[in-house]
Amino acid sequence: TSVTCAVTDSGGLTDSATFDVTVTDGPVDDPDPGDGGVDPGLPDVDKPYAPSVSLPPAPFVDERGQWFRDRVLVRVTDNGDRLPLDGTPSGVDRRSFPHVILVNEAGWQTVSGITVKDRAGNESNPAPEIGFNIDRAAPIVGVTCPSAPVALGEQAAATWTASDEGSGLATKAAGAVELDTDQAGTFSVAVPAGSAIDNVGHPSVAVACDYEVVAPEIESEPVLDTTARSDEAEAATSSE
């Protein structure tokens, strides 16, 4: 006859299996464990429990889920083989599943369909799907210097803004860097690396822009033209 059993664990996962049962009037000999612990007369027909798939602690979590920096190692753990009503379980074949899965693609990622098999070849139900985010990019910073020349000694600043399309910014999104205007000429000012940091720890790179400092024009005093007066005085002297 056939018997179907169902089981639900503490996490709410449900699994079932159907197997044949032979009913006899006399005593049944104990199975010989043999190779793999299964009597050839009583094969292991039960599939093992579904495995567990787990993530390390995430450095950042928001409404979009867990966020990891650059990559994540997903660990797979078997939960053992079912104990048959009659006979001995063959045990989980640890070669039948990946113990660690490396995921390093940017964006939303999922791991699903992970199963294990026992030594008798029975395959478990898949582990529940898990999803998470991977951020592989640093924040982007842009800086703007004054477009017009700055007067010598004048107070001025370059402004910068930052953005991050992955986990988002953990630091402020804008700032300013004071310009050195003590000398005339063309100069460069930099926004230091790490001025912006995202929520998984990526620092921004340094960025710079150029600006010009000019000295004020000095107005020249008018020059007195004495040439005409000298000519007049010379003419007067000659006429005498």
Side-chain angles (χ1 to χ4, degrees):
T1 183
S2 297
V3 177
T4 300
C5 295
V7 62
T8 302
D9 64 14
S10 59
L13 297 177
T14 301
D15 204 353
S16 63
T18 301
F19 50 91
D20 295 329
V21 176
T22 301
V23 180
T24 62
D25 292 332
V28 178
D29 294 335
D30 292 334
D32 181 8
D35 185 15
V38 180
D39 182 7
L42 295 171
D44 181 0
V45 296
D46 295 325
K47 55 188 176 183
Y49 294 105
S52 298
V53 179
S54 60
L55 295 167
F60 179 67
V61 180
D62 64 6
E63 68 278 1
R64 296 169 293 174
Q66 302 181 80
W67 285 90
F68 295 90
R69 177 175 175 173
D70 298 338
R71 65 175 191 168
V72 63
L73 295 177
V74 181
R75 298 194 177 275
V76 182
T77 307
D78 74 84
N79 290 308
D81 199 6
R82 283 188 174 84
L83 180 64
L85 295 179
D86 199 355
T88 304
S90 61
V92 173
D93 182 358
R94 293 180 58 80
R95 298 170 299 178
S96 67
F97 64 95
H99 296 261
V100 177
I101 302 172
L102 172 62
V103 183
N104 57 9
E105 294 289 334
W108 175 254
Q109 305 296 326
T110 59
V111 175
S112 61
I114 305 300
T115 62
V116 301
K117 293 181 180 180
D118 61 21
R119 293 187 182 93
N122 301 304
E123 186 173 14
S124 72
N125 288 341
E129 179 181 279
I130 60 171
F132 50 90
N133 301 278
I134 293 182
D135 184 348
R136 293 180 56 90
I140 297 175
V141 173
V143 60
T144 303
C145 282
S147 57
V150 179
L152 186 69
E154 180 183 355
Q155 287 188 338
T159 57
W160 61 267
T161 58
S163 61
D164 187 84
E165 296 184 355
S167 58
L169 292 172
T171 54
K172 61 183 181 180
V177 180
E178 186 177 353
L179 302 182
D180 183 356
T181 61
D182 291 342
Q183 295 180 354
T186 300
F187 304 96
S188 179
V189 64
V191 178
S195 295
I197 300 175
D198 66 20
N199 283 304
V200 295
H202 290 123
S204 62
V205 299
V207 292
C209 62
D210 295 333
Y211 65 99
E212 182 183 5
V213 178
V214 295
E217 294 184 1
I218 301 176
E219 295 183 1
S220 60
E221 295 182 358
V223 179
L224 180 62
D225 186 4
T226 60
T227 303
R229 292 185 179 180
S230 298
D231 292 343
E232 290 176 0
E234 186 177 341
T237 301
S238 300
S239 62
E240 291 178 359

